[in-house]
Amino acid sequence: MNRIDAVFNKKGHKALIAYVTVGYPSIEATMKIVPLLADSCCDIIELGIPFSDPMADGATIQHASYCALQNGITPKKCLDMVKELRKKTDVPLVFMTYYNPVYNYGLDKFCKDSIASGIDGLIIPDLTPDEGGELEYITGKQGMDLIYLLSPTSTKERIELVARKSRGFIYMVSLTGVTGTRDNMKLDIDNFIADVRKATANPLCVGFGISTPEQARQVSRLADGVIIGSQIIKLMEKDDDFASVGKFIKKTRQTMDG
Amino acid sequence: MQPDKNGYFGEYGGRFVPETLIPVLDELEDTYSKLKEDTAFWAELERLSRVYSGRPTPLYFAESLTKHCGGAKILLKREDLLHTGAHKVNNALGQGLLAKKMGKQRIIAETGAGQHGVATAAVCAMLGIKCAIYMGEEDIRRQSLNVFRMKQMGAEVIPVCSGSRTLKDAVNEAIRDWVTNSRDTYFLFGSVVGPKPYPQMVRDFQSVIGKETREQMLAEYKRLPDYIVACVGGGSNAIGMFYPFIEDKQVNLIGCEAAGCGIESGKHASTICAGTVGMLHGARSYLLQDENGQIMETHSISAGLDYPGVGPEHSYLNDSGRAKYVAVDDKQTLEGFQLLCRMEGIMPALESSHAVYFATELAKKLDEDKIVVINLSGRGDKDIDIVINALGGIR
């Protein structure tokens, strides 16, 4: 069984998934925060390979991506860092990036090198099953999960298509919009999750805009996992030893389990 | 050619967007394919093109310029005479009517030079639809006249301060708005870029340029031109001009990209001449990217060509050899600008000046019985500040 499946096979356990942009605010920070997140009970960690034009991201991750690129981060560097991280943690690691850097690296080579470094899955927000055939084949061959997204605007046909093609889990976008924390966000995902449940036994994890332990609890009542990104990036800016992040993750875990 | 069912021109095109936009694009494609058969829609578009935009535009024999060059006959397709000052209004009007048909309450658009922004703002004012224009901070600075025009027409101009603060970043920000508000908001893409069905749809609305030119050639000269020259950023004026001539193999099609400070300087926007294949803003096409797949910052004296991507159909026409793409630098562009002012009393937009320069150099080498048509896509009033600066002040 691969590392991602093992997470969702734990009965009654809801997954807490964290996102960080690789190389933000520095390479050292990434090398420190990932083991810390794993030790604070994150079940899966998404590693964002920065892209110059992140059209599905809000201001926080745009800024983090920009800084990471200024720090000289490349897909190759991300792969090298994963190799090092794998010596410290066995937590499932998923790359999240846009299609162009992957395409430019070479689909086959990217997947081969990812697997060799210890990556378990891949999320590409600007790639849908309509254009994903080649990458599905390659990731399938290499034993890596290609995780697709669904949105509240997805029709029945789209839900069925994504349900059939997504591996590992389905990334459920909580709202029509980009990533990022929001004040007074209203989560209205009950029907959305129910509709997708009807189409698949795949685990469903909800992300975009989730920034408080209470929201995480609400989401995890219905979904199989909760994805938190921008809020973690914001908290990373608070202190050098990432104590705020650790505290936030532990609190979130407790609230979800409580 | 028509793209295949997945929106591909050969290997270029497609649909690389977040899942949220897929149903929106499906709806758009459905509506558009129905409208294609709707004669009332096209009659209304034709009527407004006439009485609002000022079509048909003349095909003008530039006699003085021709004499100066001493070679082929040079004709200008005068899209610069259109309402709002450029060809952009052809597409804004078409998509504006489409958005209205779809019942959308709000239109958003990206703009570089501001020509597409002004055209969209004008059409929205006329149709009574709310309008927001995304524009890079750098472009707002260098095209302040157009910003003022848009605001007067009731559009909200939203400055974009991410990345290079130019057209590419304005597109990113418009897409983010669209992902957020897609239920009631229509994204009025200004060029033949983006996910399907935009490249085909924008081309269809712009191909009135080539259709008219073809008819005017046959009526006045009883023949087709030997060369057609147009500038290419995203490539909407060029494809609109080229498309009706695609099957006329004797007509040479030439697209002029912006070489900025020169391709070897790295400060340019010559996407086809110097780029590689990748995905940007929803389509696979040539683009300017570094060795790690990051989109590069571009440079051109003309804000409208300052873009690292190009329409997928142009990439296809390049590879198939049907059209040729060349690069014209900032200095040559200024020469083209000044030459047309002096010879014909016509002040071209800096975008179009790329085509003017290349076409006049070409005409010099051709025999007198050849005909070169320049698509004069826009007028240069908006560029006066830039030209004054580039020439070292008002002399």
Side-chain angles (χ1 to χ4, degrees), chain A residues 50-55 57 62 69 74 99-100 103-104 125-126 128 130-131 149 151 153-154 158 176-178, chain B residues 8 14-20 22-23 168 172 175-176 179-180 277-279 284 289-295:
Chain A
F51 178 51
S52 53
D53 293 76
M55 66 168 154
D57 284 303
Q62 279 178 50
L69 289 173
T74 63
Y99 197 34
N100 197 56
Y103 181 85
N104 179 279
D126 60 341
T128 62
D130 313 56
E131 299 284 358
L149 297 88
S151 123
T153 60
S154 300
R158 297 297 305 175
T176 55
V178 293
Chain B
Y8 278 89
R15 199 161 67 161
F16 298 87
V17 294
E19 179 68 31
T20 307
I22 298 282
K168 152 182 102 80
N172 289 336
I175 291 176
R176 291 182 189 117
V179 170
T180 308
V277 177
M279 267 63 67
R284 175 189 285 141
Q289 57 185 331
D290 69 12
E291 68 278 13
N292 296 305
Q294 306 296 343
I295 309 306

Side-chain angles (χ1 to χ4, degrees), chain A residues 138-153:
Chain A
I138 294 168
T139 49
K141 208 173 56 182
Q142 299 285 346
M144 185 157 97
D145 287 334
L146 179 60
I147 297 149
Y148 281 124
L149 297 88
L150 274 173
S151 123
T153 60

Side-chain angles (χ1 to χ4, degrees), chain B residues 58-111:
Chain B
L59 182 65
Y60 166 72
F61 170 38
E63 198 172 350
S64 165
L65 182 64
T66 298
K67 263 195 202 133
H68 171 82
C69 293
K73 188 176 266 215
I74 300 171
L75 306 179
L76 307 176
K77 179 60 174 166
R78 300 289 311 273
E79 294 295 295
D80 61 311
L81 292 176
L82 284 174
H83 175 46
T84 69
H87 73 290
K88 292 290 186 189
V89 74
N90 301 329
N91 169 52
L93 200 53
Q95 287 196 60
L97 288 175
L98 176 71
K100 189 147 187 160
K101 275 247 167 192
M102 291 174 83
K104 300 286 181 183
Q105 315 287 313
R106 176 172 176 261
I107 284 179
I108 55 171
E110 82 296 350
T111 198

Side-chain angles (χ1 to χ4, degrees), chain B residues 28-29 62 106 108 114 118 121 154 180 182 187-188 197 231 270-272 299 307 313 343 347 353 362 370:
Chain B
L28 175 59
E29 200 176 340
R106 176 172 176 261
I108 55 171
V118 170
T180 308
S182 62
F187 184 12
L188 207 158
C231 65
S270 301
T271 308
I272 293 180
H299 165 81
Y307 181 67
E313 195 168 2
M343 290 298 141
M347 188 185 287
S353 300
L362 173 71
K370 299 287 184 202

